[in-house]
Amino acid sequence: WRYMFGFSAPLAAIMAVGMWSLPPSPRWLLLRAVQGKGPMEDNKKKAMNALRRLKGPSASDKVLTDEIENNLSSIKAAYADQAEGSIFQVFEGASLKAFTIGGGLVLFQQITGQPSVLYYATSILQTAGFTTASDAAKVSILIGLFKVSRCLKSTILEDGR
């Protein structure tokens, strides 16, 4: 397991450096302006610069301005419809249904021992008939890759991309 964590450490460091260099989200900057946590014009300029940095120098000012204005109008509309809420709203209506389904899935996954299968897959596969530990480990890695690809696929489908 040390090699597994050691192999992922450089990738995590590269991702951390990449994320550190990202600008703030243009939508977040506009939301702060709508909430009154900064001057509107300054935040619009910052959002424009952040969007230009994210989209690259080839994006025209007209397209960026239109996107900023569209985002700003959608944020204002959403913020105007938003009422003060409390944490107890999680336990009401559609939120309760989503909370129950999500919590139930996590509970079911833990009760059935599904994560344990991956932890002990090499031992289980050796017991099932793989003679060498390296063959069982390769199949275990393959199972993990299939599981990751399934998670990525479902995430992509949920996002609608």
Side-chain angles (χ1 to χ4, degrees):
W1 61 271
R2 292 178 186 161
Y3 296 118
M4 179 177 60
F5 285 123
F7 180 71
S8 65
L11 298 174
I14 291 170
M15 187 171 186
V17 168
M19 290 181 70
W20 187 265
S21 66
L22 281 175
S25 165
R27 191 166 176 85
W28 179 76
L29 290 167
L30 294 173
L31 177 64
R32 289 183 53 83
V34 169
Q35 291 174 336
K37 295 182 180 175
M40 179 66 78
E41 288 304 315
D42 288 347
N43 280 347
K44 280 175 79 171
K45 286 178 186 175
K46 287 178 185 177
M48 178 75 88
N49 290 335
L51 196 58
R52 182 177 289 116
R53 189 168 163 204
L54 289 171
K55 291 202 174 215
S58 62
S60 71
D61 284 344
K62 170 90 170 100
V63 171
L64 295 177
T65 304
D66 289 345
E67 189 167 341
I68 293 290
E69 291 303 323
N70 287 340
N71 276 334
L72 189 59
S73 63
S74 71
I75 289 170
K76 283 181 179 178
Y79 198 75
D81 293 341
Q82 186 178 16
E84 285 294 319
S86 69
I87 189 68
F88 297 110
Q89 285 181 334
V90 172
F91 304 105
E92 297 174 355
S95 297
L96 176 62
K97 182 178 178 182
F99 186 73
T100 304
I101 290 170
L105 287 173
V106 169
L107 182 67
F108 180 72
Q109 186 178 29
Q110 292 299 321
I111 289 173
T112 59
Q114 186 267 343
S116 302
V117 172
L118 287 181
Y119 299 146
Y120 300 106
T122 305
S123 302
I124 294 169
L125 291 169
Q126 278 182 315
T127 305
F130 285 90
T131 55
T132 63
S134 64
D135 290 341
K138 288 175 186 173
V139 173
S140 175
I141 291 170
L142 188 63
I143 291 169
L145 289 173
F146 281 131
K147 186 170 175 67
V148 167
S149 68
R150 189 186 77 197
C151 289
L152 289 175
K153 180 180 173 185
S154 65
T155 302
I156 289 170
L157 290 176
E158 286 175 4
D159 288 346
R161 294 182 204 148

